[in-house]
């Protein structure tokens, strides 16, 4: 969004017009809305700005719920914004540590600052991009204990601040297209700055879940978070924000429930053994945190193969940290005989899960030429190093 567009959007006329729009639906509805707004005499720039915000608000409901309908966004800001459910957990960690004034350095559209302010923490929020800083200020207007600065994280005075939260920019927008930065050295603020600050005060740093683990400093707590099966972040905690004895954590959020698996460090994989009656796929946060071995041992199970994120056992286990499957049958692993086996069973709808095999499930599904009324799930993986195809059902 350009500065001039933001000025129009933040005018009383612009905000009233935005709030009057119906929920974003189909492209055809948008075309009609544009025509109607232009007939009413609204400028092309204002029409484009309010329609863009309407679309972003609709997308933002997945992260912010009903709060999205009173917020403003940028494309990159929404992409990187923390889900409100997760931001509330971040804020709670600061409060439990007795930290009352938090600097949100690189606040984006203000999602985490909103969660801090909601539990009455004082917040100094800073954002280097002028337009994004103005949007954050708008979103945080209801909270008098929040101060929003248009400033680089590195330039903010931390006098009187107890702790910091940093969500380094990992995306860049050019020509209306938002792209992810592949090199952590290009993040803003830099990880050197973020973790250097962590040596001076308690700090939380939000990173992408696939961030190279080598950037995580020794002596910190690394916590991977998943929401409804989607791994959304890696949070690195230092000082009073890091829990004693916890070096690795997998926080699994499903609906309103949160469960956590913790350990001092990466866990050693459980021993490898033959396929049992049940197969388990750990949650992505558990996989990223490398706590599969601890989870398997806690449930009397073993690894199916070295380096494969499945474990297996002979008893059914209900765990928030893994999805379970009952093994019904071994099927032929080669494609021709697998196709024959599925045809013989009348399988017309097939879910294909795979780990440790080089196959494109969509392409394979096409080549199998499925026919029939039954649905099935197969797992393509390795058992003690050998390729296997397993017919399974969810438990």
């Amino acid at each position: 969004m350009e500065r001039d567009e933001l000025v129009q959007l933040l005018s009383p006329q612009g905000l009233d017009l935005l709030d009057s729009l119906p929920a974003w639906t189909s492209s055809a509805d948008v075309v009609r809305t544009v025509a109607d707004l232009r007939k009413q005499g609204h400028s092309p720039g204002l029409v484009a700005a309010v329609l863009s915000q309407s679309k972003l608000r609709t997308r933002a409901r997945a992260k912010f719920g009903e709060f999205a309908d009173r917020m403003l966004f940028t494309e990159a800001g929404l992409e990187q914004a923390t889900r409100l459910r997760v931001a509330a957990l971040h804020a709670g960690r600061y409060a439990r540590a007795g930290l009352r004034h938090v600097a949100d350095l690189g606040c984006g559209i203000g999602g985490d600052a909103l969660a801090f302010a909601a539990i009455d923490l004082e917040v100094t929020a800073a954002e280097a991009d002028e337009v994004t800083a103005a949007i954050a200020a708008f979103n945080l207007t209801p909270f008098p204990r929040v101060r929003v600065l248009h400033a680089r994280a590195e330039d903010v005075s931390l006098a009187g601040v107890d702790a910091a939260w940093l969500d380094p920019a990992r995306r860049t927008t050019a020509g209306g297209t938002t792209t992810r930065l592949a090199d952590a050295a290009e993040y803003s603020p830099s990880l050197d700055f973020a973790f250097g600050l962590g040596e001076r005060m308690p700090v939380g740093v939000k990173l992408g879940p696939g961030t190279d683990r080598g950037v995580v400093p020794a002596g910190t707590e690394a916590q991977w978070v998943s929401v409804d099966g989607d791994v959304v972040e890696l949070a690195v905690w230092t000082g009073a924000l890091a829990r004693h004895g916890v070096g690795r954590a997998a926080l699994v959020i499903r609906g309103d429930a949160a469960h956590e698996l913790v350990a001092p460090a990466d866990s050693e994989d459980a021993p490898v053994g033959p396929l049992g009656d049940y197969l388990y796929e750990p949650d992505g946060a558990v996989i990223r945190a490398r706590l599969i071995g601890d989870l398997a041992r806690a449930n009397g199970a073993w690894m199916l193969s070295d380096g494969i994120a499945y474990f297996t056992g002979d008893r059914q286990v209900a765990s928030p940290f893994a999805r379970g499957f009952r093994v019904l049958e071994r099927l032929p692993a080669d494609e021709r005989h697998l196709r024959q086996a599925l045809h013989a069973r009348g399988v017309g709808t097939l879910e294909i899960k795979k780990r440790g095999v080089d196959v494109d499930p969509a392409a394979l599904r096409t080549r199998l030429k499925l026919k029939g009324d039954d649905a099935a799930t197969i797992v393509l993986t390795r058992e003690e190093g050998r390729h296997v195809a397993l017919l399974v059902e969810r438990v």
Side-chain angles (χ1 to χ4, degrees):
M1 180 187 298
E2 299 296 331
R3 187 178 187 278
D4 290 345
E5 289 182 349
L6 179 63
V7 170
Q8 293 185 70
L9 182 62
L10 289 177
S11 68
Q13 178 194 20
L15 293 174
D16 287 346
L17 183 59
L18 173 59
D19 290 340
S20 73
L21 292 181
W24 181 278
T25 52
S26 68
S27 297
D29 290 337
V30 172
V31 171
R32 286 194 294 270
T33 300
V34 170
D36 290 343
L37 295 178
R38 292 301 307 279
K39 286 179 182 178
Q40 294 169 23
H42 298 295
S43 70
L46 179 58
V47 170
V50 297
L51 286 177
S52 175
Q53 285 300 312
S54 178
K55 182 178 181 180
L56 289 171
R57 279 181 170 182
T58 299
R59 286 171 47 196
R61 288 183 194 130
K63 288 188 173 183
F64 293 96
E66 62 184 20
F67 292 99
D69 295 336
R70 288 295 179 267
M71 296 175 68
L72 299 179
F73 303 92
T74 65
E75 184 82 26
L78 177 57
E79 288 289 337
Q80 187 160 319
T82 305
R83 288 162 172 80
L84 195 56
R85 175 77 172 89
V86 179
L89 295 174
H90 295 160
R93 187 182 283 243
Y94 284 82
R96 288 191 299 274
L99 305 167
R100 305 306 303 168
H101 187 171
V102 180
D104 186 349
L105 304 177
C107 68
I109 60 168
D112 279 289
L114 189 154
F116 295 141
I119 59 171
D120 205 31
L121 298 181
E122 184 176 355
V123 183
T124 297
E127 171 56 45
D129 179 75
E130 181 183 15
V131 168
T132 307
I135 286 176
F138 174 87
N139 291 338
L140 295 163
T141 298
F143 301 98
R145 300 193 69 198
V146 177
R147 179 175 58 134
V148 179
L149 306 175
H150 171 216
R152 297 170 64 247
E154 298 89 340
D155 298 333
V156 176
S157 170
L158 299 179
V161 170
D162 300 325
W165 167 255
L166 299 99
D167 185 356
R170 301 182 298 280
R171 293 171 176 81
T172 184
T173 300
T177 300
T178 300
T179 55
R180 189 185 301 271
L181 295 171
D183 186 354
E186 298 178 2
Y187 292 174
S188 179
S190 70
L191 295 188
D192 285 344
F193 171 80
F195 292 131
L197 187 59
E199 296 174 359
R200 296 163 41 200
M201 64 169 55
V203 161
V205 182
K206 175 185 171 183
L207 300 172
T211 299
D212 183 350
R213 297 162 63 90
V215 307
V216 178
T220 61
E221 176 188 336
Q223 180 191 52
W224 283 263
V225 182
S226 71
V227 178
D228 296 328
D230 181 22
V231 188
V232 297
E233 70 173 44
L234 160 61
V236 181
W237 304 100
T238 77
L241 292 166
R243 292 169 291 183
H244 179 70
V246 177
R248 298 288 181 264
L251 178 61
V252 176
I253 301 171
R254 294 189 182 275
D256 293 331
H259 307 270
E260 192 172 32
L261 194 63
V262 300
D266 294 356
S267 73
E268 182 181 353
D269 281 349
V272 173
L275 178 68
D277 294 332
Y278 295 89
L279 183 71
Y280 295 93
E281 180 181 31
D283 183 90
V286 176
I287 296 172
R288 294 284 189 184
R290 295 186 183 170
L291 299 180
I292 303 171
D294 282 354
L295 181 60
R297 281 185 288 271
N299 289 285
W302 51 92
M303 309 303 294
L304 188 62
S305 192
D306 284 328
I308 303 296
Y310 284 132
F311 61 89
T312 186
D314 289 327
R315 62 186 180 92
Q316 184 175 340
V317 174
S319 170
F321 302 113
R323 177 179 300 168
F325 301 87
R326 179 180 290 106
V327 180
L328 302 176
E329 191 177 355
R330 293 176 182 268
L331 298 180
D334 68 282
E335 190 172 312
R336 181 170 69 88
H337 289 98
L338 176 61
R339 180 171 59 249
Q340 292 173 351
L342 293 171
H343 284 192
R345 289 158 178 78
V347 175
T349 302
L350 184 66
E351 177 188 20
I352 301 174
K353 301 187 68 63
K354 58 109 176 183
R355 286 192 184 278
V357 296
D358 184 14
V359 63
D360 178 347
L364 174 60
R365 192 179 293 107
T366 299
R367 294 196 302 271
L368 290 173
K369 300 177 182 178
L370 301 168
K371 296 179 181 179
D373 298 326
D374 288 343
T377 299
I378 62 170
V379 175
L380 306 179
T381 187
R382 297 201 302 268
E383 176 191 11
E384 298 180 290
R386 299 184 301 275
H387 284 234
V388 292
L390 309 173
L391 182 65
V392 302
E393 65 177 4
R394 296 176 186 273
V395 295

